[in-house]
Amino acid sequence: MFGPMRIADNIPTSWCEPWKIKTIEHIHLASAEERRSALEIAGWNTFLLPSRRVYIDLLTDSGTNAMSDVQWAAIMTGDEAYAGSKDFERLEEVVQKVYGYEHLIPTHQGRGAEHIQSQIMIKKGQIVPGNMYFTTTKFHQEHAGGEFEDVIVDEAFDPHSEFEFKGNVDLAKLDRIVQRVGPQGIAYVSLETNVNMCGGQPISMANARELKAYCSKLGIKVMLDATRAVENCYFINTKEAGYEATSISAILAELCSYTDGCTISGKKDCLVNIGGFLALRDDHLAQMARELVVAFEGLHTYGGMAGRDMGAMAVGIVESQDFEYIRARVEQVGYLGKRLERFGVPVVKPFGGHAIYLNVRDILPHMPQEQYPAQRIAAELYLESGVRSMERGIVSAGRDHDGNEYKPDLELVRLTIPRRVYTQSHLDYVSEACARVCQRAESIRGLKMVYEPGSLRFFQARFESLN
Ligand code: PLI
């Protein structure tokens, strides 16, 4: 017999996902020997592992989203006309309404948009100030003859700082560049939302507004990397005073209003597996972009995307604005962060919007950066558990013009959460595996790079173990 039940006081109200699972994909944990062999064949680079040898794939949140039934329906009804697809019209209307830019230039993915943007907006020798580099973005800026200069706030480089808007631009740093090269020496300011390379950290609305005011006076354009703008808007809603009662769509519209255009990798916020776009306000720039896109991507009404992919993206953009969705998305990432903290695993704080970043300098304090500590931890996590993660440290940073390795302050491993794909129990498994790797950190040795591609080396570099 049961006695009278006692209901605890202060029962919390948990968030939960506003969807249920309709289709599943089987995953399989390879044995320890299989994992060791796969990693050696992959040259200790998690990018080179075959997916069939990966158990839980936290390499990236890019193109790894699960689509909704409504998106799949859009796939089935896609209009594959070479010119003027109805899905282009549908996407154009959604982009104009949600992001507020007049002109849409679709591209095959984000870097296609970065390429076009850099070619039409950068003159050789111009500086592109930005709130921390992103690998492909910086590549295209340099490829177009520009030079990236970092103007992010100092807190971004401190994994222990709990500053809530570590993505913010430091206007004093920007002003120093303007004093040095003049407004004509600047191509545009490159403003990323939820800054990937420092831990998925947001910018505040106040900062975007001040940046716009400063740049407008000087005639400098502000170009948004809106790849994770919706996730950034959730942080504005939850952390920035005055936005608690504002909808995600209204926050996004205001954020974009402080910019002159954007590039987007649709493979993240937009909840699809492929696609991207450049969006612009200026008619002349849009015309230049349309002329280039036909040469590099595809006709200006598909830009490398299938009609069905544009349709699914239009639906995904609308779905991404739902508060219950975005709350579950960002809070799930925070759930992993809290679990790791409970096990004493060093992580970047505050928790990012799309990923949790292990702070490898604190995990392997004995290892010099030249021995690629974060690359090694990503490899060890795979060996331990079949979980795939990504290095975001010295390997990702690459080399300067003189061939010297950049030595970034942040030496991180990114555990990136695909949208609507994994459950909390998957993340429990991941956090326990990270804790076990950290427990044996003292015995972990470094890596030697034995093959180095000329650019974006992290994708294909190969390593050997030093022990
Ligand atoms: O992978 P793309 O070409 O669709 O997008 C390039 C790109 C641009 N900006 C930002 C902030 C990104 O994060 C980004 C791609 N990120 C990847 C692939 C990632 O794993 O984070």
Side-chain angles (χ1 to χ4, degrees):
M1 286 295 289
F2 295 105
M5 201 162 61
R6 191 182 171 283
I7 308 291
D9 298 329
N10 302 324
I11 300 170
T13 307
S14 291
W15 51 269
C16 64
E17 290 82 359
W19 41 262
K20 57 185 178 176
I21 297 166
K22 196 170 226 108
T23 304
I24 56 115
E25 177 184 339
H26 294 280
I27 53 175
H28 162 73
L29 176 60
S31 69
E33 298 75 52
E34 285 168 334
R35 299 199 294 271
R36 160 71 58 175
S37 153
L39 191 70
E40 274 168 11
I41 293 168
W44 293 75
N45 185 346
T46 53
F47 274 98
L48 302 178
L49 287 168
S51 149
R52 69 193 148 76
R53 285 279 181 256
V54 173
Y55 187 41
I56 296 179
D57 202 346
L58 305 188
L59 182 74
T60 177
D61 62 332
S62 181
T64 51
N65 301 310
M67 291 204 293
S68 69
D69 47 2
V70 187
Q71 288 180 288
W72 281 109
I75 291 273
M76 294 309 292
T77 56
D79 173 3
E80 303 307 336
Y82 186 88
S85 159
K86 75 171 169 48
D87 290 293
F88 171 75
E89 291 179 336
R90 188 177 182 182
L91 182 60
E92 186 181 45
E93 197 184 323
V94 167
V95 169
Q96 287 168 343
K97 191 158 164 245
V98 172
Y99 295 93
Y101 307 111
E102 177 59 22
H103 302 284
L104 166 70
I105 291 95
T107 56
H108 76 285
Q109 58 184 81
R111 67 200 72 183
E114 291 169 347
H115 176 216
I116 308 285
Q117 170 179 275
S118 303
Q119 292 295 324
I120 62 175
M121 295 188 71
I122 300 174
K123 291 196 198 83
K124 199 168 165 23
Q126 279 186 317
I127 306 293
V128 191
N131 53 343
M132 201 167 266
Y133 81 101
F134 183 71
T135 52
T136 58
T137 322
K138 181 164 173 265
F139 172 87
H140 282 296
Q141 290 162 354
E142 290 175 352
H143 192 63
E147 198 173 317
F148 173 82
E149 271 196 46
D150 205 335
V151 291
I152 202 165
V153 292
D154 287 342
E155 287 89 341
F157 300 102
D158 177 2
H160 303 290
S161 160
E162 303 246 1
F163 181 53
E164 290 192 320
F165 292 102
K166 282 177 163 181
N168 279 354
V169 169
D170 184 332
L171 288 173
K173 288 185 189 172
L174 177 60
D175 191 54
R176 282 198 288 277
I177 301 177
V178 172
Q179 299 305 326
R180 197 180 79 229
V181 301
Q184 306 77 7
I186 292 178
Y188 55 86
V189 175
S190 180
L191 180 66
E192 188 185 327
T193 44
N194 265 12
V195 180
N196 200 350
M197 297 303 281
C198 70
Q201 303 292 330
I203 53 172
S204 70
M205 191 71 89
N207 188 250
R209 194 181 302 123
E210 282 164 25
L211 175 68
K212 180 64 183 165
Y214 174 88
C215 289
S216 292
K217 277 192 285 183
L218 300 167
I220 298 172
K221 286 199 170 12
V222 178
M223 299 301 292
L224 196 64
D225 181 338
T227 294
R228 297 184 182 86
V230 182
E231 290 163 3
N232 197 126
C233 291
Y234 177 75
F235 284 131
I236 292 177
N237 172 274
T238 50
K239 295 179 175 188
E240 191 163 352
Y243 287 92
E244 308 81 356
T246 315
S247 69
I248 294 296
S249 313
I251 295 173
L252 182 60
E254 183 182 341
L255 189 63
C256 294
S257 76
Y258 301 131
T259 67
D260 297 285
C262 78
T263 52
I264 290 199
S265 166
K267 302 168 73 173
K268 285 83 166 174
D269 260 5
C270 305
L271 293 169
V272 287
N273 305 119
I274 194 68
F277 59 84
L278 169 64
L280 294 160
R281 294 191 200 288
D282 185 278
D283 297 341
H284 177 62
L285 280 178
Q287 194 45 43
M288 287 166 71
R290 288 195 183 101
E291 284 173 23
L292 271 194
V293 83
V294 293
F296 289 102
E297 302 278 322
L299 194 75
H300 59 281
T301 58
Y302 74 87
M305 270 193 277
R308 62 182 81 106
D309 292 327
M310 291 190 284
M313 188 188 281
V315 177
I317 291 172
V318 174
E319 288 182 358
S320 74
Q321 309 293 298
D322 173 28
F323 185 77
E324 295 305 317
Y325 154 73
I326 196 67
R327 175 167 68 165
R329 156 67 178 159
V330 178
E331 297 297 339
Q332 190 194 33
V333 175
Y335 173 82
L336 174 61
K338 284 184 212 136
R339 292 275 307 184
L340 288 165
E341 264 199 317
R342 202 182 309 158
F343 287 128
V345 175
V347 291
V348 174
K349 297 284 295 289
F351 303 137
H354 67 301
I356 295 297
Y357 292 68
L358 305 182
N359 180 10
V360 177
R361 282 190 191 276
D362 283 358
I363 300 174
L364 298 178
H366 58 278
M367 192 181 291
Q369 209 173 9
E370 294 78 2
Q371 293 180 10
Y372 310 115
Q375 187 78 28
R376 181 75 199 218
I377 288 292
E380 290 294 333
L381 181 59
Y382 173 72
L383 286 178
E384 178 71 37
S385 62
V387 173
R388 171 153 69 173
S389 58
M390 183 194 287
E391 192 263 10
R392 294 276 83 155
I394 184 170
V395 181
S396 297
R399 292 181 186 272
D400 64 19
H401 293 307
D402 302 323
N404 301 312
E405 284 189 312
Y406 289 111
K407 304 268 173 63
D409 291 330
L410 298 174
E411 186 68 22
L412 310 175
V413 165
R414 189 180 72 172
L415 303 168
T416 337
I417 316 297
R419 294 166 191 79
R420 307 192 292 201
V421 171
Y422 291 116
T423 63
Q424 286 192 189
S425 42
H426 288 112
L427 301 186
D428 291 345
Y429 176 89
V430 171
S431 57
E432 289 155 21
C434 291
R436 284 196 301 273
V437 170
C438 290
Q439 263 174 356
R440 56 180 175 78
E442 270 178 28
S443 64
I444 293 177
R445 296 288 164 265
L447 294 169
K448 179 171 74 162
M449 199 184 292
V450 292
Y451 167 66
E452 181 175 358
S455 59
L456 297 174
R457 63 181 187 171
F458 57 95
F459 283 127
Q460 288 155 348
R462 300 184 70 82
F463 302 84
E464 275 172 12
S465 174
L466 286 173
N467 60 339

